[in-house]
Amino acid sequence: MTRLTAGGIAPSTGRSTRNWRKVKKEFRAKSAELNSRCGICHQTIDYSITNTTDEMVYETDHIYARSKADNIRISEDPAGLQASHRHCNRKRGNSPLKVSLGRPSEAW
Ligand SMILES: [Zn+2]
């Protein structure tokens, strides 16, 4: 049985799929357009940096650590992604993250 997503595209099964590359590319383009800040350190990102070994280069970050996203559809969902600096992303690794939805509300 083949399940289709709303877009009519069969869910992918691999980890490094063409779909993921596409999602990442589109997410980067969108982040650059919105000039999104790093979701980890909240500083601006220089989207003109293209050297992928540069510490401050843009990198797509998974809000949910990939090792914990056992469902590939979660890890490829743009809603689970955020812009980040390469070095912030590396530093954080797979440690749990407070999801950044803007300013936290006052103590509940
Ligand atoms: Zn950062």
Side-chain angles (χ1 to χ4, degrees):
M1 190 169 81
T2 307
R3 277 194 59 202
L4 296 179
T5 59
I9 302 157
S12 50
T13 48
R15 291 215 145 207
S16 272
T17 61
R18 241 177 314 172
N19 181 54
W20 167 233
R21 285 219 291 275
K22 185 169 159 262
V23 168
K24 243 178 17 175
K25 203 175 145 193
E26 285 173 2
F27 191 81
R28 187 201 196 283
K30 186 120 197 217
S31 299
E33 194 185 304
L34 299 171
N35 211 12
S36 300
R37 288 174 178 240
C38 172
I40 300 168
C41 74
H42 306 291
Q43 299 302 307
T44 53
I45 296 172
D46 185 350
Y47 287 93
S48 67
I49 300 174
T50 51
N51 178 1
T52 54
T53 61
D54 191 299
E55 291 249 292
M56 301 310 278
V57 73
Y58 165 89
E59 204 163 78
T60 307
D61 179 44
H62 283 90
I63 291 173
Y64 314 102
R66 201 177 319 194
S67 58
K68 294 194 180 98
D70 46 11
N71 187 328
I72 190 73
R73 276 170 301 162
I74 291 173
S75 69
E76 289 190 356
D77 184 349
L81 303 176
Q82 66 182 356
S84 73
H85 296 112
R86 176 182 151 87
H87 87 111
C88 293
N89 198 9
R90 290 301 130 100
K91 206 163 64 182
R92 206 196 73 205
N94 276 343
S95 59
L97 165 80
K98 292 169 252 154
V99 176
S100 166
L101 294 172
R103 202 173 287 270
S105 53
E106 300 298 314
W108 293 27

